[in-house]
Structures are given as C-alpha cells and as structure tokens.
Amino acid sequence: MSNNNLFTRKFATGFTLIEVMLAMAIFAIAGTAILGAADTNLRALSKLEQNTIANWVVSNQLVEATLNKQWPPRNNKQGQVELAGIEWFWQQKVIKTTDKNMRALVMEVRLNEKDKNPLAFMMTYVVKQKP
C-alpha cells in the first residue's frame, strides 16, 4: 500500500460538512414542531382547567340559589366569589314559565364582570313551596 492511500483511508471515515448541516436542520425542525405541540397542549390544558373551575362555581351558585326559599326568586341577582385563587363573577336570571308555580333559574359565570359571554352556565327549575 502506498503512503498516500493510507492517509486518505484514515481521514475519510467522518461526516462531511453538508451531512452535519442537514442533520442539524432536521433536528431543528423536529425540535420546533415538538415545542409547538407542547405549547398548544399547555394552552389547551389551561383553558380546560379554567372551564372546569367555572363549572364548579356555577354549580355551587345554582345549588345555593335553589336552597333559597324566597318566591319568586330574585331576578338579575349577581355577585362574586373566589375559588382556586381566582375571582369569579356570577349572575342569576329568572325566566317565567307557563306554570305560575314554576320558574326557570339560569346561573352564568364569567371571569371578568364585563365579558359578554359566560364561561359556564347552568339552568334548573324551582317550584313554589306550598305553605
């Protein structure tokens, strides 16, 4: 074997610059996609947590309203309550029904008092108690 052939064989076993740059580009694209997916997952999880707590608040307020013996229930009653370290704004709406001894009770919960759409709402019916 010639001396020149040994030199070529010894140093020709590594990656070329183009191969290394291509591998880095592939890993960069994959890393960006993974970070994007993780960010989307975190945002969805945060929204899900917020909606779950809002549903707890609306459920609690609706139970409290149905336990009230006042007839007819007070319309457009509103207030605020703290749950999970967050201040929630709730509003109670009373809707007349075809039965004069029954009312529909709608409870809405918002994160900000001035929000147009509620994060959660529930409806139930209350019946006039007989004396």
Side-chain angles (χ1 to χ4, degrees), residues 39-90:
D39 180 54
T40 302
N41 189 25
L42 184 63
R43 288 177 196 263
L45 185 62
S46 175
K47 184 70 174 163
L48 182 62
E49 178 184 21
Q50 186 180 58
N51 287 344
T52 301
I53 297 171
N55 278 310
W56 289 343
V57 171
V58 77
S59 180
N60 289 344
Q61 293 304 315
L62 198 57
V63 167
E64 188 176 318
T66 56
L67 292 175
N68 188 355
K69 302 297 182 194
Q70 177 186 0
W71 185 261
R74 197 170 130 210
N75 194 16
N76 293 329
K77 186 178 176 184
Q78 52 189 338
Q80 61 189 51
V81 66
E82 183 181 338
L83 184 64
I86 303 171
E87 201 69 31
W88 300 93
F89 297 92
W90 57 269

